[in-house]
Amino acid sequence: MEALVRDSLFGFLQESGLAGSGGEAAALLMEGLVRVNHRQVRSPRTPLRVGDVVSIAGTRSMAVFGVSPGRVRPVL
């Protein structure tokens, strides 16, 4: 099983709740459903920078790396 790496996409998918488990994170990546800043990403080791928006295609689920949820405001 892949180790949880804090600044990697694989770890962030789990920490943010976008994926419920490592298996789900791996499946989302293999199916090509993960987007970082609107770009499809398949590598679990994709490094993330503060402010990167991670989302799951076909859902409204998204999280911003390095920003606490209370500090994110929607753009109208």
Short mmCIF file of all heavy atoms in Angstrom, two decimals:
data_model
loop_
_atom_site.label_atom_id
_atom_site.label_comp_id
_atom_site.label_asym_id
_atom_site.label_seq_id
_atom_site.Cartn_x
_atom_site.Cartn_y
_atom_site.Cartn_z
N MET A 1 0.84 -1.18 0.00
CA MET A 1 0.00 0.00 0.00
C MET A 1 0.88 1.25 0.00
O MET A 1 1.90 1.30 0.66
CB MET A 1 -0.89 -0.01 1.24
CG MET A 1 -1.76 1.19 1.35
SD MET A 1 -3.05 0.91 2.57
CE MET A 1 -4.27 1.97 1.92
N GLU A 2 0.47 2.24 -0.72
CA GLU A 2 1.22 3.49 -0.84
C GLU A 2 1.14 4.29 0.46
O GLU A 2 0.10 4.39 1.07
CB GLU A 2 0.66 4.31 -1.99
CG GLU A 2 1.45 5.54 -2.25
CD GLU A 2 1.69 5.76 -3.72
OE1 GLU A 2 1.21 4.98 -4.54
OE2 GLU A 2 2.37 6.73 -4.02
N ALA A 3 2.28 4.84 0.85
CA ALA A 3 2.32 5.65 2.08
C ALA A 3 1.66 7.00 1.84
O ALA A 3 1.69 7.54 0.75
CB ALA A 3 3.77 5.85 2.51
N LEU A 4 1.06 7.52 2.88
CA LEU A 4 0.44 8.84 2.82
C LEU A 4 1.54 9.89 2.82
O LEU A 4 2.35 9.97 3.73
CB LEU A 4 -0.47 9.03 4.04
CG LEU A 4 -1.33 10.27 4.07
CD1 LEU A 4 -2.43 10.17 3.03
CD2 LEU A 4 -1.95 10.43 5.43
N VAL A 5 1.60 10.68 1.75
CA VAL A 5 2.60 11.74 1.62
C VAL A 5 1.86 13.06 1.66
O VAL A 5 1.01 13.33 0.82
CB VAL A 5 3.41 11.60 0.31
CG1 VAL A 5 4.43 12.72 0.19
CG2 VAL A 5 4.08 10.24 0.24
N ARG A 6 2.16 13.89 2.64
CA ARG A 6 1.40 15.10 2.91
C ARG A 6 1.28 16.03 1.70
O ARG A 6 0.21 16.55 1.42
CB ARG A 6 2.02 15.84 4.08
CG ARG A 6 1.22 17.07 4.48
CD ARG A 6 1.62 17.62 5.80
NE ARG A 6 1.41 16.73 6.90
CZ ARG A 6 0.24 16.48 7.48
NH1 ARG A 6 -0.84 17.04 7.01
NH2 ARG A 6 0.15 15.67 8.49
N ASP A 7 2.35 16.28 0.98
CA ASP A 7 2.29 17.25 -0.12
C ASP A 7 2.02 16.60 -1.48
O ASP A 7 2.19 17.24 -2.51
CB ASP A 7 3.59 18.06 -0.20
CG ASP A 7 3.73 18.99 1.00
OD1 ASP A 7 2.73 19.23 1.68
OD2 ASP A 7 4.84 19.46 1.25
N SER A 8 1.62 15.34 -1.47
CA SER A 8 1.30 14.68 -2.74
C SER A 8 -0.20 14.64 -2.96
O SER A 8 -0.98 14.75 -2.02
CB SER A 8 1.85 13.25 -2.74
OG SER A 8 1.04 12.42 -1.92
N LEU A 9 -0.58 14.47 -4.19
CA LEU A 9 -1.99 14.39 -4.53
C LEU A 9 -2.66 13.20 -3.84
O LEU A 9 -3.76 13.32 -3.32
CB LEU A 9 -2.14 14.28 -6.05
CG LEU A 9 -3.55 14.19 -6.60
CD1 LEU A 9 -4.37 15.39 -6.16
CD2 LEU A 9 -3.50 14.09 -8.10
N PHE A 10 -1.99 12.06 -3.82
CA PHE A 10 -2.55 10.85 -3.21
C PHE A 10 -2.92 11.10 -1.74
O PHE A 10 -4.03 10.80 -1.30
CB PHE A 10 -1.55 9.69 -3.32
CG PHE A 10 -2.10 8.38 -2.85
CD1 PHE A 10 -2.92 7.63 -3.66
CD2 PHE A 10 -1.77 7.88 -1.60
CE1 PHE A 10 -3.43 6.41 -3.24
CE2 PHE A 10 -2.27 6.67 -1.17
CZ PHE A 10 -3.10 5.93 -2.00
N GLY A 11 -2.00 11.68 -0.99
CA GLY A 11 -2.27 11.98 0.41
C GLY A 11 -3.35 13.02 0.59
O GLY A 11 -4.22 12.90 1.47
N PHE A 12 -3.34 14.05 -0.25
CA PHE A 12 -4.33 15.12 -0.12
C PHE A 12 -5.74 14.63 -0.43
O PHE A 12 -6.70 15.06 0.20
CB PHE A 12 -3.96 16.30 -1.02
CG PHE A 12 -4.90 17.46 -0.86
CD1 PHE A 12 -4.96 18.16 0.33
CD2 PHE A 12 -5.72 17.85 -1.90
CE1 PHE A 12 -5.83 19.23 0.50
CE2 PHE A 12 -6.59 18.92 -1.76
CZ PHE A 12 -6.65 19.61 -0.55
N LEU A 13 -5.88 13.72 -1.39
CA LEU A 13 -7.21 13.18 -1.69
C LEU A 13 -7.83 12.56 -0.45
O LEU A 13 -9.02 12.72 -0.19
CB LEU A 13 -7.12 12.14 -2.82
CG LEU A 13 -6.90 12.69 -4.22
CD1 LEU A 13 -6.57 11.55 -5.19
CD2 LEU A 13 -8.09 13.49 -4.70
N GLN A 14 -7.01 11.87 0.34
CA GLN A 14 -7.50 11.23 1.56
C GLN A 14 -7.71 12.25 2.69
O GLN A 14 -8.76 12.25 3.34
CB GLN A 14 -6.52 10.16 2.01
CG GLN A 14 -6.42 9.01 1.03
CD GLN A 14 -5.32 8.08 1.42
OE1 GLN A 14 -5.45 7.34 2.38
NE2 GLN A 14 -4.22 8.11 0.68
N GLU A 15 -6.73 13.11 2.90
CA GLU A 15 -6.81 14.10 4.00
C GLU A 15 -7.98 15.06 3.81
O GLU A 15 -8.60 15.47 4.78
CB GLU A 15 -5.52 14.90 4.10
CG GLU A 15 -4.38 14.12 4.67
CD GLU A 15 -3.11 14.94 4.75
OE1 GLU A 15 -3.11 16.12 4.33
OE2 GLU A 15 -2.11 14.41 5.25
N SER A 16 -8.27 15.42 2.58
CA SER A 16 -9.33 16.40 2.31
C SER A 16 -10.72 15.77 2.33
O SER A 16 -11.72 16.49 2.36
CB SER A 16 -9.11 17.04 0.94
OG SER A 16 -9.28 16.08 -0.09
N GLY A 17 -10.78 14.45 2.27
CA GLY A 17 -12.07 13.77 2.24
C GLY A 17 -12.62 13.59 0.83
O GLY A 17 -13.72 13.07 0.66
N LEU A 18 -11.87 14.00 -0.19
CA LEU A 18 -12.31 13.77 -1.56
C LEU A 18 -12.36 12.27 -1.87
O LEU A 18 -13.14 11.82 -2.68
CB LEU A 18 -11.40 14.49 -2.57
CG LEU A 18 -11.50 16.02 -2.57
CD1 LEU A 18 -10.44 16.62 -3.47
CD2 LEU A 18 -12.89 16.47 -2.99
N ALA A 19 -11.49 11.52 -1.20
CA ALA A 19 -11.50 10.06 -1.29
C ALA A 19 -11.61 9.51 0.13
O ALA A 19 -10.94 9.99 1.04
CB ALA A 19 -10.22 9.55 -1.96
N GLY A 20 -12.43 8.50 0.30
CA GLY A 20 -12.66 7.93 1.63
C GLY A 20 -11.56 6.99 2.09
O GLY A 20 -11.45 6.69 3.27
N SER A 21 -10.71 6.55 1.15
CA SER A 21 -9.64 5.61 1.48
C SER A 21 -8.55 5.69 0.42
O SER A 21 -8.74 6.31 -0.63
CB SER A 21 -10.20 4.18 1.53
OG SER A 21 -10.61 3.78 0.22
N GLY A 22 -7.44 5.01 0.71
CA GLY A 22 -6.37 4.94 -0.28
C GLY A 22 -6.81 4.21 -1.54
O GLY A 22 -6.44 4.59 -2.65
N GLY A 23 -7.63 3.19 -1.37
CA GLY A 23 -8.14 2.45 -2.52
C GLY A 23 -9.02 3.30 -3.40
O GLY A 23 -8.94 3.25 -4.64
N GLU A 24 -9.86 4.11 -2.77
CA GLU A 24 -10.72 5.01 -3.54
C GLU A 24 -9.89 6.07 -4.25
O GLU A 24 -10.16 6.40 -5.41
CB GLU A 24 -11.77 5.67 -2.64
CG GLU A 24 -12.74 6.52 -3.42
CD GLU A 24 -13.80 7.19 -2.56
OE1 GLU A 24 -13.80 7.01 -1.32
OE2 GLU A 24 -14.63 7.91 -3.14
N ALA A 25 -8.88 6.61 -3.58
CA ALA A 25 -8.01 7.60 -4.20
C ALA A 25 -7.32 7.01 -5.42
O ALA A 25 -7.27 7.63 -6.49
CB ALA A 25 -6.97 8.11 -3.19
N ALA A 26 -6.80 5.79 -5.28
CA ALA A 26 -6.14 5.13 -6.40
C ALA A 26 -7.10 4.90 -7.56
O ALA A 26 -6.75 5.12 -8.72
CB ALA A 26 -5.53 3.80 -5.94
N ALA A 27 -8.32 4.47 -7.26
CA ALA A 27 -9.32 4.23 -8.30
C ALA A 27 -9.67 5.52 -9.04
O ALA A 27 -9.77 5.54 -10.27
CB ALA A 27 -10.57 3.60 -7.70
N LEU A 28 -9.86 6.61 -8.30
CA LEU A 28 -10.18 7.89 -8.92
C LEU A 28 -9.07 8.34 -9.87
O LEU A 28 -9.33 8.81 -10.98
CB LEU A 28 -10.42 8.97 -7.86
CG LEU A 28 -11.70 8.84 -7.03
CD1 LEU A 28 -11.65 9.79 -5.84
CD2 LEU A 28 -12.92 9.10 -7.88
N LEU A 29 -7.83 8.14 -9.43
CA LEU A 29 -6.68 8.51 -10.26
C LEU A 29 -6.60 7.63 -11.50
O LEU A 29 -6.41 8.12 -12.62
CB LEU A 29 -5.39 8.43 -9.45
CG LEU A 29 -5.20 9.54 -8.43
CD1 LEU A 29 -4.16 9.16 -7.39
CD2 LEU A 29 -4.81 10.83 -9.13
N MET A 30 -6.75 6.31 -11.33
CA MET A 30 -6.65 5.39 -12.46
C MET A 30 -7.76 5.63 -13.49
O MET A 30 -7.54 5.48 -14.69
CB MET A 30 -6.70 3.94 -11.98
CG MET A 30 -5.43 3.51 -11.30
SD MET A 30 -5.29 1.74 -10.94
CE MET A 30 -6.86 1.30 -10.29
N GLU A 31 -8.94 6.02 -13.02
CA GLU A 31 -10.06 6.29 -13.92
C GLU A 31 -9.96 7.67 -14.58
O GLU A 31 -10.79 8.01 -15.42
CB GLU A 31 -11.37 6.17 -13.15
CG GLU A 31 -11.69 4.76 -12.72
CD GLU A 31 -12.89 4.67 -11.81
OE1 GLU A 31 -13.72 5.60 -11.81
OE2 GLU A 31 -13.00 3.67 -11.09
N GLY A 32 -8.98 8.46 -14.18
CA GLY A 32 -8.79 9.77 -14.79
C GLY A 32 -9.80 10.80 -14.33
O GLY A 32 -10.07 11.76 -15.05
N LEU A 33 -10.34 10.64 -13.14
CA LEU A 33 -11.38 11.55 -12.64
C LEU A 33 -10.86 12.70 -11.80
O LEU A 33 -11.61 13.59 -11.44
CB LEU A 33 -12.41 10.75 -11.83
CG LEU A 33 -13.17 9.68 -12.61
CD1 LEU A 33 -14.08 8.90 -11.69
CD2 LEU A 33 -13.96 10.33 -13.74
N VAL A 34 -9.57 12.68 -11.48
CA VAL A 34 -9.00 13.72 -10.62
C VAL A 34 -8.48 14.86 -11.48
O VAL A 34 -7.82 14.65 -12.51
CB VAL A 34 -7.87 13.15 -9.74
CG1 VAL A 34 -7.25 14.24 -8.88
CG2 VAL A 34 -8.39 12.01 -8.87
N ARG A 35 -8.79 16.09 -11.06
CA ARG A 35 -8.33 17.30 -11.74
C ARG A 35 -7.57 18.17 -10.75
O ARG A 35 -7.99 18.31 -9.60
CB ARG A 35 -9.51 18.11 -12.28
CG ARG A 35 -10.46 17.37 -13.18
CD ARG A 35 -9.86 17.17 -14.56
NE ARG A 35 -10.83 16.65 -15.52
CZ ARG A 35 -11.00 15.36 -15.78
NH1 ARG A 35 -10.31 14.46 -15.10
NH2 ARG A 35 -11.87 14.96 -16.69
N VAL A 36 -6.48 18.76 -11.20
CA VAL A 36 -5.75 19.76 -10.43
C VAL A 36 -5.73 21.01 -11.29
O VAL A 36 -5.20 20.99 -12.41
CB VAL A 36 -4.31 19.31 -10.08
CG1 VAL A 36 -3.56 20.43 -9.36
CG2 VAL A 36 -4.34 18.05 -9.21
N ASN A 37 -6.37 22.06 -10.79
CA ASN A 37 -6.49 23.31 -11.55
C ASN A 37 -7.08 23.05 -12.94
O ASN A 37 -6.59 23.55 -13.95
CB ASN A 37 -5.14 24.03 -11.63
CG ASN A 37 -4.61 24.38 -10.27
OD1 ASN A 37 -5.36 24.66 -9.36
ND2 ASN A 37 -3.30 24.32 -10.11
N HIS A 38 -8.11 22.22 -12.99
CA HIS A 38 -8.87 21.89 -14.20
C HIS A 38 -8.13 20.98 -15.17
O HIS A 38 -8.60 20.77 -16.27
CB HIS A 38 -9.35 23.15 -14.94
CG HIS A 38 -10.18 24.04 -14.10
ND1 HIS A 38 -11.47 23.74 -13.73
CD2 HIS A 38 -9.90 25.23 -13.51
CE1 HIS A 38 -11.95 24.70 -12.98
NE2 HIS A 38 -11.03 25.62 -12.83
N ARG A 39 -6.98 20.44 -14.78
CA ARG A 39 -6.22 19.55 -15.66
C ARG A 39 -6.30 18.13 -15.10
O ARG A 39 -6.07 17.90 -13.92
CB ARG A 39 -4.76 19.96 -15.74
CG ARG A 39 -4.58 21.27 -16.43
CD ARG A 39 -3.11 21.55 -16.65
NE ARG A 39 -2.96 22.86 -17.24
CZ ARG A 39 -2.01 23.69 -16.94
NH1 ARG A 39 -1.10 23.38 -16.05
NH2 ARG A 39 -1.94 24.86 -17.54
N GLN A 40 -6.56 17.17 -15.99
CA GLN A 40 -6.62 15.77 -15.58
C GLN A 40 -5.25 15.32 -15.10
O GLN A 40 -4.23 15.62 -15.73
CB GLN A 40 -7.06 14.90 -16.76
CG GLN A 40 -7.18 13.44 -16.41
CD GLN A 40 -7.51 12.60 -17.62
OE1 GLN A 40 -6.86 12.71 -18.65
NE2 GLN A 40 -8.54 11.78 -17.49
N VAL A 41 -5.23 14.61 -13.97
CA VAL A 41 -3.99 14.11 -13.39
C VAL A 41 -4.20 12.65 -13.03
O VAL A 41 -5.23 12.28 -12.48
CB VAL A 41 -3.62 14.91 -12.12
CG1 VAL A 41 -2.37 14.36 -11.47
CG2 VAL A 41 -3.44 16.38 -12.44
N ARG A 42 -3.21 11.81 -13.35
CA ARG A 42 -3.30 10.38 -13.02
C ARG A 42 -2.20 9.93 -12.07
O ARG A 42 -2.29 8.84 -11.52
CB ARG A 42 -3.24 9.54 -14.29
CG ARG A 42 -4.49 9.68 -15.14
CD ARG A 42 -4.38 8.80 -16.37
NE ARG A 42 -5.53 8.93 -17.22
CZ ARG A 42 -6.50 8.03 -17.29
NH1 ARG A 42 -6.44 6.95 -16.57
NH2 ARG A 42 -7.52 8.23 -18.09
N SER A 43 -1.18 10.73 -11.86
CA SER A 43 -0.07 10.33 -11.01
C SER A 43 -0.35 10.64 -9.54
O SER A 43 -0.61 11.79 -9.17
CB SER A 43 1.21 11.07 -11.41
OG SER A 43 2.23 10.79 -10.48
N PRO A 44 -0.28 9.62 -8.67
CA PRO A 44 -0.52 9.84 -7.25
C PRO A 44 0.57 10.70 -6.59
O PRO A 44 0.37 11.28 -5.55
CB PRO A 44 -0.54 8.44 -6.65
CG PRO A 44 0.21 7.60 -7.61
CD PRO A 44 0.00 8.22 -8.97
N ARG A 45 1.72 10.79 -7.23
CA ARG A 45 2.84 11.55 -6.66
C ARG A 45 2.88 12.99 -7.16
O ARG A 45 3.86 13.70 -6.94
CB ARG A 45 4.15 10.85 -6.98
CG ARG A 45 4.24 9.48 -6.33
CD ARG A 45 5.63 8.90 -6.52
NE ARG A 45 5.68 7.52 -6.10
CZ ARG A 45 5.87 7.13 -4.85
NH1 ARG A 45 6.00 8.02 -3.90
NH2 ARG A 45 5.92 5.85 -4.56
N THR A 46 1.85 13.43 -7.82
CA THR A 46 1.80 14.81 -8.30
C THR A 46 1.98 15.76 -7.13
O THR A 46 1.22 15.71 -6.17
CB THR A 46 0.45 15.09 -9.00
OG1 THR A 46 0.31 14.21 -10.11
CG2 THR A 46 0.35 16.54 -9.45
N PRO A 47 3.01 16.61 -7.17
CA PRO A 47 3.20 17.57 -6.08
C PRO A 47 2.14 18.67 -6.15
O PRO A 47 1.71 19.04 -7.23
CB PRO A 47 4.60 18.13 -6.31
CG PRO A 47 4.86 17.93 -7.78
CD PRO A 47 4.05 16.72 -8.20
N LEU A 48 1.75 19.15 -5.00
CA LEU A 48 0.75 20.22 -4.93
C LEU A 48 1.38 21.47 -4.33
O LEU A 48 2.27 21.38 -3.49
CB LEU A 48 -0.44 19.78 -4.07
CG LEU A 48 -1.24 18.60 -4.61
CD1 LEU A 48 -2.28 18.18 -3.60
CD2 LEU A 48 -1.89 18.95 -5.93
N ARG A 49 0.89 22.63 -4.76
CA ARG A 49 1.32 23.92 -4.21
C ARG A 49 0.13 24.57 -3.52
O ARG A 49 -1.02 24.32 -3.89
CB ARG A 49 1.81 24.82 -5.33
CG ARG A 49 3.05 24.29 -6.02
CD ARG A 49 3.55 25.30 -7.05
NE ARG A 49 4.52 24.64 -7.89
CZ ARG A 49 4.33 24.30 -9.15
NH1 ARG A 49 3.19 24.58 -9.74
NH2 ARG A 49 5.27 23.69 -9.84
N VAL A 50 0.41 25.42 -2.57
CA VAL A 50 -0.65 26.14 -1.87
C VAL A 50 -1.52 26.85 -2.89
O VAL A 50 -1.01 27.52 -3.80
CB VAL A 50 -0.07 27.14 -0.85
CG1 VAL A 50 -1.17 28.01 -0.26
CG2 VAL A 50 0.66 26.40 0.25
N GLY A 51 -2.83 26.66 -2.78
CA GLY A 51 -3.77 27.30 -3.68
C GLY A 51 -4.23 26.42 -4.83
O GLY A 51 -5.17 26.78 -5.54
N ASP A 52 -3.58 25.26 -5.05
CA ASP A 52 -4.03 24.35 -6.10
C ASP A 52 -5.44 23.86 -5.79
O ASP A 52 -5.73 23.48 -4.65
CB ASP A 52 -3.10 23.14 -6.23
CG ASP A 52 -1.83 23.42 -7.00
OD1 ASP A 52 -1.74 24.50 -7.64
OD2 ASP A 52 -0.92 22.58 -6.96
N VAL A 53 -6.31 23.85 -6.78
CA VAL A 53 -7.68 23.38 -6.62
C VAL A 53 -7.75 21.95 -7.14
O VAL A 53 -7.44 21.68 -8.30
CB VAL A 53 -8.68 24.27 -7.38
CG1 VAL A 53 -10.09 23.71 -7.26
CG2 VAL A 53 -8.61 25.70 -6.87
N VAL A 54 -8.13 21.04 -6.25
CA VAL A 54 -8.25 19.62 -6.59
C VAL A 54 -9.73 19.28 -6.64
O VAL A 54 -10.47 19.59 -5.71
CB VAL A 54 -7.52 18.74 -5.55
CG1 VAL A 54 -7.65 17.26 -5.91
CG2 VAL A 54 -6.05 19.13 -5.45
N SER A 55 -10.15 18.66 -7.74
CA SER A 55 -11.57 18.33 -7.88
C SER A 55 -11.72 16.94 -8.49
O SER A 55 -10.78 16.37 -9.03
CB SER A 55 -12.28 19.37 -8.74
OG SER A 55 -11.69 19.43 -10.02
N ILE A 56 -12.96 16.42 -8.39
CA ILE A 56 -13.30 15.13 -8.95
C ILE A 56 -14.29 15.37 -10.09
O ILE A 56 -15.34 15.98 -9.88
CB ILE A 56 -13.93 14.20 -7.89
CG1 ILE A 56 -13.03 14.09 -6.65
CG2 ILE A 56 -14.23 12.83 -8.48
CD1 ILE A 56 -11.64 13.55 -6.90
N ALA A 57 -13.94 14.92 -11.29
CA ALA A 57 -14.79 15.13 -12.46
C ALA A 57 -16.17 14.50 -12.24
O ALA A 57 -16.29 13.45 -11.65
CB ALA A 57 -14.13 14.52 -13.69
N GLY A 58 -17.19 15.20 -12.72
CA GLY A 58 -18.54 14.69 -12.62
C GLY A 58 -19.21 14.93 -11.28
O GLY A 58 -20.33 14.48 -11.05
N THR A 59 -18.51 15.62 -10.38
CA THR A 59 -19.07 15.93 -9.07
C THR A 59 -18.81 17.41 -8.77
O THR A 59 -18.09 18.08 -9.48
CB THR A 59 -18.42 15.10 -7.94
OG1 THR A 59 -17.09 15.58 -7.71
CG2 THR A 59 -18.38 13.62 -8.29
N ARG A 60 -19.39 17.86 -7.68
CA ARG A 60 -19.11 19.23 -7.22
C ARG A 60 -18.07 19.21 -6.10
O ARG A 60 -17.84 20.23 -5.46
CB ARG A 60 -20.39 19.87 -6.71
CG ARG A 60 -21.37 20.14 -7.82
CD ARG A 60 -22.61 20.77 -7.28
NE ARG A 60 -23.48 21.15 -8.39
CZ ARG A 60 -23.91 22.38 -8.59
NH1 ARG A 60 -23.61 23.33 -7.76
NH2 ARG A 60 -24.68 22.64 -9.61
N SER A 61 -17.44 18.06 -5.88
CA SER A 61 -16.44 17.93 -4.82
C SER A 61 -15.15 18.60 -5.22
O SER A 61 -14.61 18.35 -6.30
CB SER A 61 -16.18 16.45 -4.53
OG SER A 61 -17.35 15.82 -4.11
N MET A 62 -14.64 19.47 -4.34
CA MET A 62 -13.36 20.12 -4.58
C MET A 62 -12.75 20.54 -3.26
O MET A 62 -13.45 20.67 -2.26
CB MET A 62 -13.51 21.34 -5.49
CG MET A 62 -14.55 22.31 -5.03
SD MET A 62 -14.16 23.97 -4.57
CE MET A 62 -12.66 24.55 -4.96
N ALA A 63 -11.44 20.70 -3.26
CA ALA A 63 -10.71 21.17 -2.09
C ALA A 63 -9.53 21.99 -2.57
O ALA A 63 -9.00 21.77 -3.65
CB ALA A 63 -10.24 19.99 -1.25
N VAL A 64 -9.12 22.95 -1.75
CA VAL A 64 -7.98 23.80 -2.08
C VAL A 64 -6.82 23.42 -1.18
O VAL A 64 -6.95 23.43 0.05
CB VAL A 64 -8.33 25.30 -1.91
CG1 VAL A 64 -7.13 26.16 -2.25
CG2 VAL A 64 -9.54 25.66 -2.75
N PHE A 65 -5.69 23.05 -1.77
CA PHE A 65 -4.54 22.60 -1.02
C PHE A 65 -3.91 23.74 -0.23
O PHE A 65 -3.71 24.83 -0.77
CB PHE A 65 -3.48 22.01 -1.97
CG PHE A 65 -2.26 21.50 -1.27
CD1 PHE A 65 -2.32 20.34 -0.54
CD2 PHE A 65 -1.08 22.20 -1.33
CE1 PHE A 65 -1.19 19.86 0.12
CE2 PHE A 65 0.05 21.74 -0.68
CZ PHE A 65 -0.01 20.57 0.05
N GLY A 66 -3.64 23.51 1.04
CA GLY A 66 -2.93 24.47 1.88
C GLY A 66 -3.76 25.61 2.40
O GLY A 66 -3.23 26.57 2.95
N VAL A 67 -5.08 25.56 2.22
CA VAL A 67 -5.97 26.62 2.70
C VAL A 67 -7.02 25.98 3.58
O VAL A 67 -7.66 25.01 3.17
CB VAL A 67 -6.64 27.35 1.51
CG1 VAL A 67 -7.58 28.42 2.00
CG2 VAL A 67 -5.59 27.94 0.59
N SER A 68 -7.22 26.51 4.77
CA SER A 68 -8.23 25.94 5.65
C SER A 68 -9.61 26.22 5.08
O SER A 68 -9.85 27.29 4.50
CB SER A 68 -8.10 26.50 7.06
OG SER A 68 -8.31 27.88 7.07
N PRO A 69 -10.55 25.27 5.21
CA PRO A 69 -11.88 25.42 4.59
C PRO A 69 -12.60 26.71 4.97
O PRO A 69 -13.30 27.28 4.15
CB PRO A 69 -12.65 24.21 5.11
CG PRO A 69 -11.60 23.21 5.44
CD PRO A 69 -10.41 24.02 5.89
N GLY A 70 -12.42 27.23 6.16
CA GLY A 70 -13.11 28.44 6.58
C GLY A 70 -12.60 29.70 5.88
O GLY A 70 -13.27 30.72 5.88
N ARG A 71 -11.42 29.62 5.27
CA ARG A 71 -10.84 30.79 4.62
C ARG A 71 -11.14 30.85 3.13
O ARG A 71 -10.80 31.81 2.47
CB ARG A 71 -9.34 30.80 4.85
CG ARG A 71 -9.01 30.95 6.33
CD ARG A 71 -7.55 31.10 6.58
NE ARG A 71 -7.08 32.31 5.92
CZ ARG A 71 -5.81 32.55 5.67
NH1 ARG A 71 -4.90 31.69 6.01
NH2 ARG A 71 -5.45 33.68 5.08
N VAL A 72 -11.77 29.82 2.59
CA VAL A 72 -12.08 29.80 1.16
C VAL A 72 -13.44 30.42 0.95
O VAL A 72 -14.41 30.06 1.59
CB VAL A 72 -12.07 28.35 0.63
CG1 VAL A 72 -12.47 28.33 -0.83
CG2 VAL A 72 -10.71 27.72 0.82
N ARG A 73 -13.52 31.38 0.05
CA ARG A 73 -14.78 32.03 -0.26
C ARG A 73 -15.11 31.80 -1.72
O ARG A 73 -14.24 31.93 -2.58
CB ARG A 73 -14.67 33.53 0.02
CG ARG A 73 -14.53 33.83 1.49
CD ARG A 73 -14.77 35.31 1.76
NE ARG A 73 -14.74 35.54 3.18
CZ ARG A 73 -13.66 35.83 3.87
NH1 ARG A 73 -12.51 35.92 3.28
NH2 ARG A 73 -13.75 36.05 5.18
N PRO A 74 -16.37 31.49 -2.02
CA PRO A 74 -16.73 31.28 -3.43
C PRO A 74 -16.64 32.57 -4.22
O PRO A 74 -16.88 33.65 -3.69
CB PRO A 74 -18.17 30.78 -3.35
CG PRO A 74 -18.66 31.21 -2.02
CD PRO A 74 -17.48 31.33 -1.12
N VAL A 75 -16.28 32.45 -5.48
CA VAL A 75 -16.24 33.59 -6.38
C VAL A 75 -17.60 33.68 -7.06
O VAL A 75 -18.07 32.71 -7.65
CB VAL A 75 -15.13 33.42 -7.43
CG1 VAL A 75 -15.14 34.60 -8.39
CG2 VAL A 75 -13.78 33.30 -6.73
N LEU A 76 -18.25 34.83 -6.97
CA LEU A 76 -19.57 34.99 -7.56
C LEU A 76 -19.49 35.69 -8.90
O LEU A 76 -18.67 36.44 -9.21
CB LEU A 76 -20.48 35.78 -6.62
CG LEU A 76 -20.66 35.15 -5.25
CD1 LEU A 76 -21.51 36.06 -4.37
CD2 LEU A 76 -21.31 33.79 -5.37
#
